[in-house]
Amino acid sequence: MSKYSFDDLKNKVCVLTGGGGVIGSVIAKGLADAGVKIAILDIKKEFADGVVEDVKKDYEIEIIGVEANVLDKSSLELAKGQILEKFGKIDILINGAGGNSPKATTKEEFITEKNLGSLSDTFFGLEIEGFQKVFDLNFLGTLLPTMVFAKEMVERKSGVILNISSMNSFRPLTKIPAYSAAKASINNFTEWLAVHFAKMNIRVNAIAPGFFLTNQNRFLLVDEKSNELTARGKKIIDNTPMGKFGEPVDLVGGTLFLLSDISSFVTGVVLPIDGGFNIYSGV
Ligand code: NAD
C-alpha cells in the first residue's frame, strides 16, 4: 500500500444521498474505483437502482440502492437499518441530494425601468413555497441525514462527511436567490459541524461545483441546432479562467481527496471545483 494514495478508502462504507442523480452517479463510480462499498440513497428507487446497475457493469464492488427521503427522518432511519444490516457500519456520508426550483427563480436578471410594469418577472414574483422547497431540500436535506447517519460515526469515533455546496454559495448567481442562499447555509453548516465533531475524529468538508454541462442545463448553455454557446453559456465561459465547462468526472478527485486520510488534517473547508470562476474578477 502506497503511503500517499486513496488506498485507505478500500472497503469503507459510504452513504450517498441523491446518488441516483447526475453528479451522484459519477461520484459513485469514483468511489467504486477506490474500492468503497456504497449505499445509493434516492427518493426515486429506480434512479438509485439505475446507478447501482451502471456501477456494477464496470466494478466488482458491493453496492445497494435504497429508497429514502432526505426530508423524512423515519425513512432515513429505515434506510440506516437496511444499510447496517448489509454492511455493518457507515464510514462516509455524502450529502448529495439538492437542487433548485423554478418557483424560486426570477425571469429577469435585473429590475430596470423597462420591467417596472411587469414586476412579477422579478424578485416580487417569487413564491414563498419555492423558497421553502429549496431551503428544505438543500439545508434540511443535509441536516437530517447527518443527524441520522453521523450518530454511527460518533459512537465509533471515526467518520467523514462531505456536503455538496455550489460555487454560487460564495457569489450568488442572478435569478436564483433561494438556491444561492440555501447553498451558502451549507457552507456555514459545514464549518459549524466540523468544529462540533472535531474531537470525535469526524471531519466535515464540502465541495462547491461550478458550471457543469449536464443534460438538465445543456439546452440553456448550448444552442441545440448550431451547437454554439448561448449568451448565458458564453458569459460563463468568458468568466471561467480555464475557459471551459467542467465535466462531472472533474469532481471525483476533490471528492476522494476530502474523503481519504490523505486530507486527515483538513476539516471545515469548502473546496471550489470551478475552473477558477469564483476567484476571477473578470479583469
Ligand atoms: P440531480 O437532480 O441530477 O440529482 C439529485 C438527485 O436527488 C435525484 O436523483 C433526485 O431524485 C434526488 N432527490 C431529490 N429530492 C430528494 C429527496 N427529498 N430525498 C432523496 N433524494 C432526493 O442533481 P445533480 O446535478 O446531480 O446535483 C447533485 C448535487 O450537486 C445537488 O446538491 C446540487 O445542488 C449540486 N450541484 C449541482 C451542480 C450541477 O451543475 N449539476 C452544480 C453545483 C452543485
Side-chain angles (χ1 to χ4, degrees), residues 18 20-24 41-44 47 68-71 96-99 137-138 164-166 179 183 209-212 214 216-217:
V22 176
I23 287 181
L41 251 72
D42 208 286
I43 198 166
K44 300 220 167 119
F47 287 8
N69 179 356
V70 292
L71 300 178
L137 179 56
N138 292 281
I164 305 206
S165 180
S166 164
Y179 186 58
K183 288 302 193 188
F211 290 95
F212 291 80
T214 62
Q216 285 163 51
N217 64 16

Side-chain angles (χ1 to χ4, degrees), residues 20-23 25-26 211-222 224 245-248:
V22 176
I23 287 181
S25 64
V26 174
F211 290 95
F212 291 80
L213 259 191
T214 62
N215 289 335
Q216 285 163 51
N217 64 16
R218 191 176 299 272
F219 74 102
L220 286 172
L221 305 177
V222 180
E224 243 179 291
F245 295 112
E247 297 288 337

Side-chain angles (χ1 to χ4, degrees), residues 177-196:
Y179 186 58
S180 299
K183 288 302 193 188
S185 78
I186 293 296
N187 296 6
N188 193 280
F189 181 57
T190 298
E191 293 173 355
W192 186 88
L193 213 63
V195 172
H196 196 61

